[in-house]
């Protein structure tokens, strides 16, 4: 049994026009007017399909298709509708609209499931406007305090709490784990592996862990001209060495180790003064907890030794910790069986990116389904999948849901 690929594709294209980007993608940052318009469009479709809906305290939006046994633990599908500032048309959106397409197709085929089916639109998965990625699912999973999330502010000083009130998204439903029998997140791969191996589906068995840090370096501000190079306490010199050594460290953890420096700022903002303070973000990733811990301790000792040698004061603050995740064998098997039923080529794989499913997996059996995207490109307005790829993934999701819907 297949989903209606045409309907799914036209909805993906309609959603992309809400909060359009500047280069063919989308700009629906979390809790913005564009995010609201996107959810409104989604809700108009979900309501027309006969679903009820409910918001929880952090604005996660749950849509429900009732089962023949309303007391049975439901099955959860879901992803996110918010995007990066220069986001693509499929990251997250595909998982939400693919989930809705499963519900629509079950309606079309007159199939009633014993278990209710819920579809969640998680709040602020991207973590770009409010800098905590997978925020809504993190709160739901008790990984992040509700009040900490509500206090997050954007660059204009507007808080998550203010926006939830403004949009009317602060619901009555507690933002805490409820009993789901199984959960599935459908997503684009956001990497190059499936395309390179010419495979149609990725059966995702787990997700890389990641940690976000702020590295703060404090030196001594002096004139760029008269001050000799020797003896300067220069945070820029320190950050240069730190970057080189941390990249070398990541290479020691190949093929899975990752390190990414970004978001540099300095003070004072002047071209002819050695900075007093220099700050940058660092993201490190690995699918195994032991290796992630080892990467962190190596990184910390690199910062310490570089700073000691240059007379710079360095501190490292952990801002976000998303542990590696191993998905539930029962859900992985349901997805694999569904792929085999439909005769698609596939491979089992680890996700390099974090997803809401990581937090969901802390509380109920969970797995993910990937489809390839062109060139592995994501977080880019040019992000692209084909209508056929979209339909395949949603059909696999439907098959997996049906396998667990009666159990
Ligand atoms: Zn995503």
């Amino acid at each position: 049994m297949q989903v209606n690929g045409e309907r799914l594709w036209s909805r993906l294209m309609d959603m992309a026009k809400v909060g359009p980007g500047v280069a063919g993608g989308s700009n629906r940052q979390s809790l913005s007017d564009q995010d609201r318009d996107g959810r409104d469009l989604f809700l108009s479709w979900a309501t027309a399909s006969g679903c009820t809906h409910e918001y929880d305290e952090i604005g996660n939006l749950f849509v429900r298709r009732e089962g023949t046994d309303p007391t049975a633990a439901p099955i959860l599908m879901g992803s996110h509708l918010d995007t990066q500032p220069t986001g693509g048309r499929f990251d997250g959106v595909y998982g939400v609209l693919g989930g809705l397409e499963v519900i629509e197709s079950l309606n079309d085929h007159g199939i009633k499931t014993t278990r209710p089916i819920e579809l969640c639109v998680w709040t602020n998965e991207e973590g770009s406007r409010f800098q905590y990625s997978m925020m809504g699912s993190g709160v739901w999973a008790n990984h992040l305090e509700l009040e900490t999330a509500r206090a997050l502010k954007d660059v204009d000083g507007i808080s998550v709490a203010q926006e939830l009130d403004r949009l009317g998204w602060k619901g009555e439903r507690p933002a805490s784990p409820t009993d789901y029998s199984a959960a599935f997140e459908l997503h684009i791969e956001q990497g190059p592996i499936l395309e390179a191996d010419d495979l149609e589906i990725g059966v995702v068995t787990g997700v890389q862990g990641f940690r976000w840090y702020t590295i703060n370096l404090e030196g001594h501000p002096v004139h760029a001209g008269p001050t000799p190079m020797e003896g300067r306490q220069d945070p820029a010199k320190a950050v240069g060495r730190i970057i080189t050594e941390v990249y070398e460290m990541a290479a020691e953890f190949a093929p899975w180790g990752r390190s990414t420096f970004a978001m540099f700022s300095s003070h004072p903002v002047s071209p002819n003064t050695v900075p007093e303070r220099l700050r940058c973000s660092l993201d490190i990733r690995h699918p195994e907890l032991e290796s992630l811990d080892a990467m962190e301790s190596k990184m910390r000792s690199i910062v310490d030794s570089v700073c000691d040698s240059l007379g710079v004061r360095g501190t490292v603050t952990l801002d976000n910790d998303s542990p590696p995740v191993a998905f539930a064998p029962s859900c992985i098997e349901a997805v694999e069986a569904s792929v085999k039923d439909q005769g698609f080529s596939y491979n089992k794989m680890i996700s390099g990116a974090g997803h809401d499913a990581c937090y969901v997996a802390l509380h109920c059996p969970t797995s993910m389904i990937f489809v390839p995207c062109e060139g592995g490109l994501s977080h880019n307005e040019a992000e692209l999948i084909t209508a056929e790829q979209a339909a395949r993934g949603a059909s696999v999701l439907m098959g997996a849901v049906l396998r667990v819907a009666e159990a």
Side-chain angles (χ1 to χ4, degrees), residues 28 44 54 69 157 164 179 203 218 225 235 281 294 317 347 349 386:
R28 280 193 311 277
S44 72
E54 215 178 356
D69 179 2
L164 288 173
D179 187 21
V203 175
E218 288 182 30
S281 63
T317 319
N347 208 350
M349 63 190 299
T386 66

Side-chain angles (χ1 to χ4, degrees), residues 58-79:
I58 196 68
N60 295 319
L61 169 59
F62 293 84
V63 152
R64 182 176 170 107
R65 182 184 195 257
E66 200 50 87
T68 56
D69 179 2
T71 64
I75 294 158
L76 181 68
M77 305 183 289
S79 199

Side-chain angles (χ1 to χ4, degrees), residues 8 63 83 92 105 108 206 249 296 303 319 352 364 377 397 399:
L8 172 57
V63 152
T83 73
S105 293
D108 291 349
M249 177 274 287
E296 169 166 340
V303 172
D319 301 319
C364 59
L377 190 68
L397 174 62

Side-chain angles (χ1 to χ4, degrees), residues 135-358:
M135 180 193 83
S137 52
V139 172
W140 177 89
N142 294 331
H143 180 84
L144 170 65
E145 294 275 348
L146 176 63
E147 286 314 315
T148 307
R150 284 171 54 80
L152 288 170
K153 288 184 176 159
D154 70 5
V155 289
D156 297 320
I158 300 170
S159 70
V160 166
Q162 283 173 285
E163 290 293 63
L164 288 173
D165 287 343
R166 181 178 74 87
L167 297 164
W169 289 359
K170 184 187 174 296
E172 298 293 314
R173 178 167 165 159
S176 53
T178 38
D179 187 21
Y180 289 107
S181 60
F184 300 100
E185 182 169 356
L186 174 65
H187 210 282
I188 60 167
E189 181 196 349
Q190 304 181 285
I193 296 168
L194 291 173
E195 186 181 76
D197 293 344
D198 202 17
L199 296 170
E200 293 168 317
I201 297 288
V203 175
V204 188
T205 59
V207 181
Q208 265 190 340
F210 70 84
R211 290 175 189 171
W212 287 2
Y213 307 90
T214 299
I215 300 178
N216 191 51
L217 303 168
E218 288 182 30
H220 188 56
V222 291
H223 197 299
T227 319
M229 295 306 287
E230 303 81 50
R232 288 188 184 189
Q233 293 163 266
D234 185 349
K237 191 170 182 181
V239 82
R241 288 196 193 166
I242 289 168
I243 290 172
T244 304
E245 291 188 31
V246 169
Y247 281 159
E248 284 167 6
M249 177 274 287
E252 289 167 27
F253 289 84
W256 284 108
R258 306 270 188 273
S259 68
T260 304
F261 287 88
M263 290 176 52
F264 294 85
S265 68
S266 64
H267 175 86
V269 182
S270 166
N272 57 351
T273 301
V274 169
E276 180 177 10
R277 200 170 59 237
L278 199 151
R279 190 175 281 202
C280 66
S281 63
L282 169 63
D283 170 318
I284 66 170
R285 301 186 183 223
H286 201 284
E288 288 151 21
L289 189 60
E290 272 173 33
S291 299
L292 198 59
D293 285 341
M295 287 177 75
E296 169 166 340
S297 74
K298 277 205 158 190
M299 178 273 291
R300 285 182 182 277
S301 71
I302 289 168
V303 172
D304 286 347
S305 72
V306 168
C307 287
D308 280 354
S309 71
L310 295 173
V312 169
R313 282 181 307 283
T315 54
V316 177
T317 319
L318 177 65
D319 301 319
N320 197 342
D321 182 2
S322 180
V325 176
F327 285 140
S330 60
C331 290
I332 296 168
E333 281 161 22
V335 170
E336 191 172 13
S338 172
V339 177
K340 284 182 174 166
D341 276 352
Q342 304 185 49
F344 299 138
S345 58
Y346 75 100
N347 208 350
K348 290 187 174 176
M349 63 190 299
I350 292 274
S351 169
H355 295 286
D356 293 306
C358 300

Side-chain angles (χ1 to χ4, degrees), residues 35-173:
D35 193 19
R36 175 200 58 206
D37 294 348
R39 283 189 175 197
D40 285 350
L41 178 61
F42 163 74
L43 265 182
S44 72
W45 292 326
T47 306
S49 79
C51 290
T52 56
H53 72 274
E54 215 178 356
Y55 291 94
D56 75 9
E57 296 162 293
I58 196 68
N60 295 319
L61 169 59
F62 293 84
V63 152
R64 182 176 170 107
R65 182 184 195 257
E66 200 50 87
T68 56
D69 179 2
T71 64
I75 294 158
L76 181 68
M77 305 183 289
S79 199
H80 58 98
L81 287 175
D82 69 311
T83 73
Q84 291 281 316
T86 53
R89 296 173 290 173
F90 306 100
D91 175 3
V93 185
Y94 173 52
V96 172
L97 299 185
L100 182 59
E101 180 52 42
V102 169
I103 290 174
E104 297 273 16
S105 293
L106 293 177
N107 290 345
D108 291 349
H109 289 96
I111 293 172
K112 291 207 164 69
T113 56
T114 305
R115 294 185 183 279
I117 296 174
E118 292 195 2
L119 169 59
C120 185
V121 182
W122 299 104
T123 302
N124 186 26
E125 192 275 348
E126 294 292 357
S128 45
R129 179 181 175 201
F130 299 101
Q131 290 180 1
Y132 194 100
S133 64
M134 304 163 349
M135 180 193 83
S137 52
V139 172
W140 177 89
N142 294 331
H143 180 84
L144 170 65
E145 294 275 348
L146 176 63
E147 286 314 315
T148 307
R150 284 171 54 80
L152 288 170
K153 288 184 176 159
D154 70 5
V155 289
D156 297 320
I158 300 170
S159 70
V160 166
Q162 283 173 285
E163 290 293 63
L164 288 173
D165 287 343
R166 181 178 74 87
L167 297 164
W169 289 359
K170 184 187 174 296
E172 298 293 314
R173 178 167 165 159

